Amino acid sequence: MTIRFNVLAGSESGIVKGIDTTNNGIYVIHKPAETYIDAVALLEWSLANNEIDYMQAFIATKKNNILRLKFADESIQQIGTINRSSPLRGLAYLDEDRFVTCSENGVLSIDRITKESLVSEIEANAGPDISRLRINPFNRTFLGTGGKENDLKIWSIAELMKNEKTKNKSVIFQAKNVRPNTVRLRMPVWVTDFQFIDERNRCLVVTGHHQIRLYDPQSNARRPVNEIEFEQYPIMSIALLHSSNNEHFIVGNTQGEMAQFDIKRLSSSAIVHKYKGVIGSIRSIDTHPTLPLIASASIDQYVRIHNADTYQQVSKFYLKSRLTSVLFSPHSISNREEQQEKNVETINKEIENDEVWSQFKRKLTKESSDKSSSKRFSFVFNHFHNLYAYSSTFSHITSDGNITMVDIGHKASSPRRAIAEAIVKFPNSDTYQSYFNVTTKKGDARLCSKIAGILAAKRTSDLIPLCHQLPLSHIDIEYEHRHEENEVLVRCICSTNYQTGVEMEAIVGATIAAVTIYDMCKALSKSIEIRNIRLIEKIGGKSSIPLK
Amino acid sequence: MVRRKKDSDSNDNDKRPIHRKQSKKITNDDDEESSTRTPSGTLQVRNKMVRQLLYAKLKRSKSKSKLKERKARQQSDEPREEPKTIEKKRLRDETWVDENDQETLDDISNDELNNYFTRQADSTEPKLLLTSQEGFPTSFTNKFLKELARILPNTTYFQRRHHPIKRIIKKMNKLGYTDLLVVNEDHGKPCTLYISHLPEGPTMKFRLTNARLSKQLRSNRGKSCAKLTVRPEIILNNFNTRIGIRVGRLLAALFPHDPQYKGRHIITFHNQRDFVFFRHHMYLFKNEKKVALQELGPRFTLKLKSIQHGTFDALYGEYEWIHKPKHKMDTERTKFFL
């Protein structure tokens, strides 16, 4: 049996529906015996071989029933009920038939699936009024929780599993509330949803007070690294836009305003586009794993599909109940009409002119109307984990792209040394010999360049914009003459006892010494080359590069 | 002056008589041609009085021909065409409630107002609280509010002063009220009506226009509004879509069950092109066959602005539906939401 749908939506009636975005079909996947008794609360993907398994999904209801949906045969299997006094706010499938769940009253637990029910293995307290639990999809050993007056916490699952003693240590990051406002009033905390954006647990949090915050557990700051505001109403949901290499994200608020933002430019101008068409509070957003498509489920009972490239609404589906959650799967579905048309064409080739025209017209209109639908859906099953790009950090660049000087005030002084070298290549042996034997017009190039190099290293902070001033304890310029190759290797050695490294000083010293040799010898030849300026050693501080 | 001279110089023939002749010809001979040409556009009669005369003639001939056509049509046996009104051309979208669709009916019957409609034991008779915006309403709004309080059964008028709505709702929940009505005003006229159903919602915001007091209605002959002592009959017209039915149910739940038909009072919520007209009438049985309606007032018009999930919370509440003109909701003239 082929897969009939690629969007899954859960509603307050308890019915789960599948949507075929290619042929605009809606199918009832799961209907409880009595509707409106138990609402669908969460939809989550399963896991296979540490990657998301798009053939299985889990459905959690408001009364904490957990069901398994298999896409292959659309079968529903009851897994069990979790005994909690309040509904689940997050569910994540770990390996080996284990779930990590969190209920609204803050019971975080890891449950194992046994034959008939779920057995709780480990329980921890995540604090009151939890609104969401999410696992880091880039590094599935971490998860986050957050809620009302309960700021973001990032937990390590490994620590949580070890034993009772380490349970308290399992919170690896606890966000700190932002500073009081100008009249010294405490700012209220209300985390509504969040998303991890990379394997280093950087996390985007949206709040009920219309803020979007970026937390970086790697930095020393427990307060948000960056914060922007969106409109004036609570933001309900956030999703990463996978097709943009996870560099953009989509948020939706209670008024049905949906907007796309750029993570790298988190400032007031970060908004990329404000989508149109949604007219009810957005409960859940999901994006296609590879294509630029966004599905939003709102309580106006529609699932809307927007295209993130053209910013247009592609289609909308009326599902007859208030929606709570949505999942976008990468399954491609063939266009049924096209197939039928093909069949028709092969069977009776002789069609009257009028019919040909009408079909032609229909095709034209169809192609022009939904550019994204038929052809763009036809792709192969794709593991989007490969697409996650590793973003290295620059110490001088903030997360929103501005430049900054690193604050080294809190660092301890330590002895540091750096060696840089540069090669001055003479075009022939004549010029080299005249340099070596000091028969140049200007005089002793080596002596002059040595002094120039020392002077330059002392003034590095004047030349390099974000470089710190530092007291150099020693500067030395060495020369290594290579007679066979007609070249001179200039080496600059700088050392200090300070809070930051001296590699820039060494590089500048070596460079200027080499340039001075060129200046002294330029009367002999204009084609002297300076090559291979590089750092060869750095000792001391956070990172050391030993001598090559 | 100069222009006139030029005209007379350049044209050898006198222009005006020719024009007049032409126009006469057209008006007399050919109806079709004259209908396509406007007298001012193509003929350019410069004398205003003559031009007006010609135009009047043209119009008269047009209307005559139309009358002829109409009479001919009436006399012929052709079946009558249905008049093309916007209501008839209305586009039915997927939210139009189909009576055979069990899923939609389930959704409608499982809303927050279910207790009232299924007449469950714990549901009490509607008990309303009517109040104004913060501060003190101006005289017209004050009168309007007081009339409204007289018309709606089981209603208390509450002087808002500076009480916040959320705190009022808390108190109302304790006292067993079922609905809160808030009328806001602008430029001394009521402009917005909030209806919030308690204890679970929903809250709807309407634009309120054309508010008239009973005294201002001609049919009422200047009588002021008397307190409604009987349970009135409620008529809800043309609420067809899912949102329409939701609005209709909220409005119906303001009134008690079991109308006293002997009291002869009717309250109508008539939806036409998304405008909901509120009217209060009384049957007048003139004799055994003839019945008339007398409008008692007050009257006003409502237009839905938003539906909010839960009780009134404009800032943190979740909206089910908002009228968003910027989102291209009103592109088609024949598309309606209720």
Side-chain angles (χ1 to χ4, degrees), chain B residues 10 23 39 42 77-78 119 174 194 205-206 220 267 288 292:
Chain B
S10 59
S23 65
T42 49
D77 296 329
E78 279 175 42
R119 296 200 188 193
K174 281 178 195 164
Y194 284 96
K205 182 189 177 186
F206 298 93
N220 206 14
I267 284 175
E288 284 174 353

Side-chain angles (χ1 to χ4, degrees), chain A residues 6 20-24 288 291-293 305 307 310 313-315 317 331-338 363 365-379:
Chain A
N6 53 357
D20 172 1
T21 52
T22 317
N23 303 314
N24 292 349
H288 194 282
L291 297 179
L293 293 173
I305 312 286
N307 190 324
T310 59
Q313 183 178 302
V314 180
S315 49
F317 301 94
H331 305 301
S332 68
I333 294 162
S334 57
N335 195 328
R336 208 183 300 142
E337 276 181 39
E338 264 183 19
K363 268 191 175 173
T365 49
K366 201 176 33 176
E367 272 173 18
S368 60
S369 66
D370 46 14
K371 290 166 197 163
S372 63
S373 70
S374 57
K375 268 157 205 171
R376 305 192 69 171
F377 270 100
S378 53
F379 61 93

Side-chain angles (χ1 to χ4, degrees), chain A residues 240-257:
Chain A
L240 291 183
L241 186 62
H242 299 314
S243 64
S244 70
N245 225 345
N246 297 316
E247 281 171 0
H248 287 206
F249 62 94
I250 319 282
V251 298
N253 73 3
T254 55
Q255 296 253 330
E257 299 290 342

Side-chain angles (χ1 to χ4, degrees), chain A residues 12-13 15 17 28 31 35-36 190 208-209 232-234 236 254-257 274-283 298-302 316-322, chain B residues 93-97 101-112 202 242-243 246 307-309 314-324 326-329 335 337:
Chain A
E12 281 187 4
S13 62
I15 299 174
K17 286 186 178 177
V28 176
K31 189 175 183 179
T35 51
Y36 291 93
W190 185 4
H209 301 282
Q232 292 168 341
Y233 300 96
M236 296 297 284
T254 55
Q255 296 253 330
E257 299 290 342
K274 237 173 97 175
Y275 287 91
K276 284 188 174 174
V278 191
I279 49 172
S281 170
I282 299 168
R283 288 264 178 93
S298 90
I299 62 170
D300 64 355
Q301 313 197 346
Y302 278 98
K316 60 176 184 177
F317 301 94
Y318 176 55
L319 299 189
K320 297 178 183 175
S321 176
R322 272 182 236 138
Chain B
D93 62 349
E94 63 273 21
T95 62
W96 189 278
V97 174
D101 187 1
Q102 193 54 40
E103 213 179 319
T104 317
L105 297 183
D106 277 352
D107 181 50
I108 290 164
S109 61
N110 278 296
D111 65 353
E112 302 93 327
R242 185 185 60 79
I243 293 164
R246 197 153 166 71
I307 305 177
Q308 184 218 314
H309 195 52
L315 205 54
Y316 299 117
E318 272 192 285
Y319 285 82
E320 272 171 50
W321 187 90
I322 309 171
H323 184 241
K324 288 179 178 173
K326 281 186 183 174
H327 282 224
K328 291 179 182 170
M329 288 170 82
K335 198 183 162 197
F337 301 112

Side-chain angles (χ1 to χ4, degrees), chain A residues 423-437 440 445-446 449 479-490 513-531:
Chain A
I423 293 168
V424 183
K425 168 93 178 166
F426 290 88
N428 48 45
S429 60
D430 291 353
T431 47
Y432 175 72
Q433 286 301 327
S434 67
Y435 151 77
F436 190 69
N437 299 325
T440 51
R446 207 184 320 166
S449 85
Y479 297 90
E480 200 180 301
H481 292 96
R482 295 173 178 167
H483 302 289
E484 295 86 52
E485 284 102 24
N486 297 330
E487 61 185 31
V488 190
L489 193 143
V490 185
V515 171
T516 312
I517 292 176
Y518 180 92
D519 178 53
M520 297 295 283
C521 302
K522 68 175 189 262
L524 301 171
S525 167
K526 296 280 187 293
S527 53
I528 302 171
E529 289 174 15
I530 299 168
R531 293 174 174 176

